[in-house]
Amino acid sequence: MTLTYIFHSGFVLETEHSILVFDYWLDPSGVIEGVLKKDKPLYVFSSHFHEDHFTKEIFEWKKLNPDITYILSKDIYKHRRASKEDADVWLAKGGTWSDKNISVWALGSTDSGVSWIVETEGKRFFHAGDLNNWYAKFLLDDNPDQLRYSFEMEETFNPIAHEKQFLGELKDIRKVADSFDVVMFPIDGRVGNGYTLGGRYALYHRL
């Protein structure tokens, strides 16, 4: 098994019998060119419609490798970023899908779309998408239990309520699986002080 970082939240996870690509956006090192030449079933995941997690470029790959299964979050279709026939599988939170190679569960997010659990060849993987404790730095303020505005995220929010939502999503994930062989989780400097808190919570809750 090899895990290759592409860019942003993009990863390629190659097992003995298949290849999984998560949240492809940009490919500054040219990773995908080699992936498309390999003689293995390829599964392409996009967790939500935001342009830094989904691009229509992934559909062009089918011209080079016909053995691709596209597994996309339903919010991509809802926001008209792709047509219904573009994906083989559309999933929202709570949805599941499997074939002879992999089993997939769509879990929740604290942003748009979903996070992913994938099982294959006796291994279990988690890709968070944009699931995170995005407003952790505001929890350090004197009065975090009130509405705030984040210029980085361009959103009004309540830090305490958001953290409760995040912890609730972790709890839902543990109902499906309480351990993973690989976890792909965002550690984002835009969160400011406490930017590792979401990841540390995920580890504490044994993701």
Side-chain angles (χ1 to χ4, degrees):
M1 179 180 69
T2 58
L3 179 67
T4 303
Y5 179 62
I6 306 174
F7 184 76
H8 199 60
S9 291
F11 292 86
V12 175
L13 181 63
E14 182 174 357
T15 68
E16 184 177 357
H17 300 294
S18 60
I19 302 174
L20 316 177
V21 176
F22 294 94
D23 280 16
Y24 174 88
W25 173 33
L26 299 174
D27 185 14
S29 298
V31 173
I32 293 298
E33 182 180 358
V35 169
L36 294 176
K37 294 178 180 178
K38 296 194 175 185
D39 187 21
K40 292 182 180 181
L42 177 60
Y43 298 87
V44 178
F45 297 81
S46 295
S47 64
H48 61 288
F49 78 98
H50 291 164
E51 64 179 8
D52 56 347
H53 290 257
F54 168 77
T55 171
K56 289 185 177 181
E57 182 183 339
I58 60 175
F59 302 131
E60 297 297 314
W61 299 349
K62 199 88 170 181
K63 298 175 183 177
L64 300 174
N65 185 342
D67 194 8
I68 298 180
T69 301
Y70 295 99
I71 305 170
L72 307 186
S73 168
K74 281 187 175 179
D75 78 308
I76 295 171
Y77 174 64
K78 179 181 177 182
H79 286 86
R80 300 181 180 179
R81 295 291 314 283
S83 301
K84 194 169 186 178
E85 61 271 15
D86 286 331
D88 300 281
V89 184
W90 293 100
L91 293 177
K93 180 181 178 180
T96 62
W97 178 84
S98 64
D99 68 1
K100 64 181 181 179
N101 296 314
I102 70 172
S103 296
V104 180
W105 291 259
L107 280 300
S109 178
T110 47
D111 197 348
S112 294
V114 300
S115 52
W116 303 110
I117 294 175
V118 182
E119 285 188 359
T120 183
E121 300 171 37
K123 302 290 185 181
R124 184 185 297 137
F125 311 110
F126 179 75
H127 186 278
D130 261 350
L131 172 68
N132 201 353
N133 194 346
W134 287 111
Y135 304 111
K137 70 178 180 180
F138 295 94
L139 297 170
L140 305 176
D141 293 348
D142 292 335
N143 297 297
D145 194 15
Q146 59 183 351
L147 289 178
R148 303 294 177 88
Y149 182 78
S150 169
F151 290 97
E152 295 88 352
M153 305 300 180
E154 298 182 344
E155 186 176 12
T156 300
F157 59 94
N158 179 302
I160 295 294
H162 184 271
E163 181 174 71
K164 287 181 179 178
Q165 180 193 0
F166 173 67
L167 295 175
E169 298 295 352
L170 294 184
K171 184 177 180 180
D172 288 344
I173 291 165
R174 289 201 64 192
K175 291 176 182 177
V176 177
D178 60 2
S179 64
F180 295 93
D181 295 282
V182 173
V183 172
M184 292 158 275
F185 192 93
I187 303 297
D188 194 325
R190 290 177 299 170
V191 176
N193 292 335
Y195 71 99
T196 64
L197 185 61
R200 288 188 283 117
Y201 273 13
L203 291 173
Y204 177 78
H205 286 268
R206 297 182 181 180
L207 292 192

